[in-house]
Amino acid sequence: MFHVQQDKVNKHSSENAMKRKPQHVELIETAIQALQRTTGLAAQIVRLEQANTVHHDRRQRFDAVIEIEAQGRKHKFAVEAKLGMRAELLTQIKALWPNEQQTRLLIVAPYVTTYLAEKCRELQFPFLDTAGNAYLEDGDLFVYVTGQKKPIDMALPQTNRANTAAGLRVLFALLCRPQLLNAPYRELATTAKVALGTIGPVIKDLETRKLIATFGTALPKRRLLDAKALLQEWAAFYPAILRPRLQPRRFRAPNHDWAQQTDLTRFDAYWGGEVAADRLTHYLKPEMLTIYTLHNPTKLIAEFRLRADVNGDVEILDAFWDHNLTTGTHDVVPPILAYADLMTTTNARNLEAAKLVYEQHIAPNLPTA
């Protein structure tokens, strides 16, 4: 329970926060000003989106709609504001944006490197940043500006406690079971398999970035404000930060037939990646076999005659979550992990399967603000 003095501090902080513009609005406005500085194009925010918008039974969130005027025409873009940009994140957002949606999606970020700008152009994914770099393409509108230097006075916070290896374990637990957000820290730490001291800084990071909020004083409750953004962030950072720490090992199997009939629970292991997608959606014929195991996989390796091979078609990694988080098909990883495994490959067939996993097994269970 919070002390009365702490309640007063929280109330005062909340009142101050209400006087400031939301961080994503400041980011978009700064990027619009930078666009005019480098290109002469005028743009304005015509709508701020506060709630999810439904498109064909899918909930698709964006932060705002902006309008850019060029040669007497007005071009509208739906905007997602991101405090950080990674190539994997671009691929995910692009894959999840409805193809039938007429308004084009545009990313706004504090700074986009030349490499990421080229990636955006390759994906035909419009962007703006606060330095004046931009890629816009819509009908007769074409803008491509790169090489503008990062603003020296860029003051947008880049808190990263949630994107450490331990922080990603915590995010994974929260995404799989959002009710843990209001559980005792010790329970969350046990489920995420992290030290108790990890929890507080991660929660603070998420609060600072307005991904979670605390309501009430006597019995405060936390709530995820943007579970979809948190999922995209987790899936973008997982392959680079957490996955390499799971002792990934490659093997080659005599054939793939055993994978179709094998229940991995007797080995304390779970199917991930393409096999998980196949079992969850019945859409993808697996070519790469990904296995997460809670214990030493020696017995599994021997039974299926797997041979060590750095270019093999079987990958075994350490399971990093508490077994109680696994839901649905009993020998399959949580759908969020299967989704991240598929998005990591950037293979077209895997991206389509990832989209199905998201729509069928993740989106219906994500909490909405």
Side-chain angles (χ1 to χ4, degrees):
M1 183 178 294
F2 287 90
H3 295 295
V4 173
Q5 184 63 36
Q6 184 63 48
D7 290 342
K8 290 180 179 178
V9 172
N10 289 343
K11 183 178 179 181
H12 181 68
S13 299
S14 298
E15 289 172 349
N16 286 340
M18 291 176 64
K19 295 176 183 177
R20 298 193 300 266
K21 289 182 180 178
Q23 194 171 40
H24 70 279
V25 176
E26 291 183 353
L27 177 59
I28 296 169
E29 288 179 344
T30 304
I32 285 174
Q33 292 166 7
L35 175 70
Q36 185 163 24
R37 185 176 67 250
T38 57
T39 68
L41 294 176
Q44 62 178 336
I45 298 174
V46 295
R47 189 171 91 217
L48 288 173
E49 193 71 19
Q50 299 296 334
N52 288 342
T53 303
V54 179
H55 296 293
H56 298 275
D57 296 327
R58 273 186 293 176
R59 302 186 75 85
Q60 177 63 45
R61 183 192 178 281
F62 51 91
D63 296 306
V65 174
I66 66 169
E67 195 172 73
I68 300 172
E69 188 168 353
Q71 298 178 343
R73 288 190 56 198
K74 294 181 178 180
H75 304 264
K76 284 188 178 181
F77 294 87
V79 175
E80 276 206 36
K82 298 294 180 186
L83 291 183
M85 281 268 279
R86 295 177 66 91
E88 298 91 342
L89 186 61
L90 289 173
T91 306
Q92 291 171 44
I93 298 172
K94 177 82 172 178
L96 291 175
W97 186 249
N99 293 328
E100 69 274 12
Q101 174 66 300
Q102 293 182 351
T103 304
R104 295 202 64 182
L105 182 63
L106 177 147
I107 290 290
V108 171
Y111 186 70
V112 177
T113 64
T114 300
Y115 165 76
L116 285 175
E118 292 173 353
K119 186 72 175 176
C120 284
R121 187 172 178 181
E122 177 188 324
L123 292 170
Q124 295 186 310
F125 201 156
F127 78 85
L128 301 177
D129 75 8
T130 61
N133 297 302
Y135 164 61
L136 300 169
E137 191 168 0
D138 182 44
D140 58 357
L141 171 66
F142 181 83
V143 173
Y144 188 54
V145 180
T146 62
Q148 299 294 310
K149 294 182 179 179
K150 183 184 295 187
I152 297 175
D153 60 347
M154 185 181 289
L156 291 166
Q158 296 282 350
T159 50
N160 296 310
R161 297 303 293 268
N163 294 329
T164 62
L168 290 171
R169 291 172 181 255
V170 176
L171 295 193
F172 183 72
L174 292 176
L175 286 166
C176 289
R177 191 175 298 164
Q179 58 266 37
L180 285 170
L181 196 57
N182 290 299
Y185 278 9
R186 188 171 299 279
E187 181 181 343
L188 177 53
T190 299
T191 305
K193 292 188 175 180
V194 298
L196 181 59
T198 301
I199 306 301
V202 171
I203 296 296
K204 181 64 176 177
D205 181 358
L206 298 179
E207 288 177 333
T208 299
R209 292 189 286 143
K210 295 182 173 58
L211 290 169
I212 65 173
T214 302
F215 300 89
T217 52
L219 292 172
K221 292 289 184 182
R222 296 188 184 91
R223 190 171 73 199
L224 287 173
L225 294 180
D226 196 343
K228 183 184 172 186
L230 202 59
L231 168 67
Q232 290 176 341
E233 180 174 305
W234 187 87
F237 283 95
Y238 165 71
I241 296 175
L242 180 54
R243 203 175 199 274
R245 294 173 178 247
L246 305 179
Q247 300 188 64
R249 291 141 286 176
R250 285 289 190 94
F251 300 85
R252 189 165 296 281
N255 57 65
H256 280 190
D257 294 341
W258 61 280
Q260 303 303 318
Q261 297 88 25
T262 301
D263 181 342
L264 291 181
T265 53
R266 62 191 178 95
F267 299 101
D268 290 325
Y270 307 95
W271 290 110
E274 296 177 25
V275 179
D278 178 43
R279 298 198 174 192
L280 291 171
T281 67
H282 307 293
Y283 170 82
L284 188 66
K285 183 179 179 181
E287 293 181 1
M288 183 72 187
L289 310 182
T290 303
I291 298 171
Y292 289 85
T293 180
L294 293 168
H295 306 298
N296 192 312
T298 302
K299 182 180 175 184
L300 186 153
I301 292 169
E303 180 157 338
F304 298 107
R305 294 178 294 153
L306 305 181
R307 293 182 295 105
D309 183 340
V310 293
N311 297 312
D313 51 6
V314 180
E315 186 174 30
I316 298 179
L317 306 96
D318 294 341
F320 60 92
W321 64 93
D322 183 89
H323 67 92
N324 290 321
L325 277 181
T326 306
T327 57
T329 307
H330 65 292
D331 66 339
V332 170
V333 299
I336 287 168
L337 179 54
Y339 168 80
D341 278 338
L342 295 166
M343 295 300 291
T344 298
T345 68
T346 68
N347 178 289
R349 54 192 282 277
N350 285 353
L351 292 178
E352 187 60 33
K355 199 171 184 178
L356 291 175
V357 170
Y358 176 82
E359 292 171 353
Q360 296 174 13
H361 297 276
I362 298 175
N365 299 314
L366 284 180
T368 56

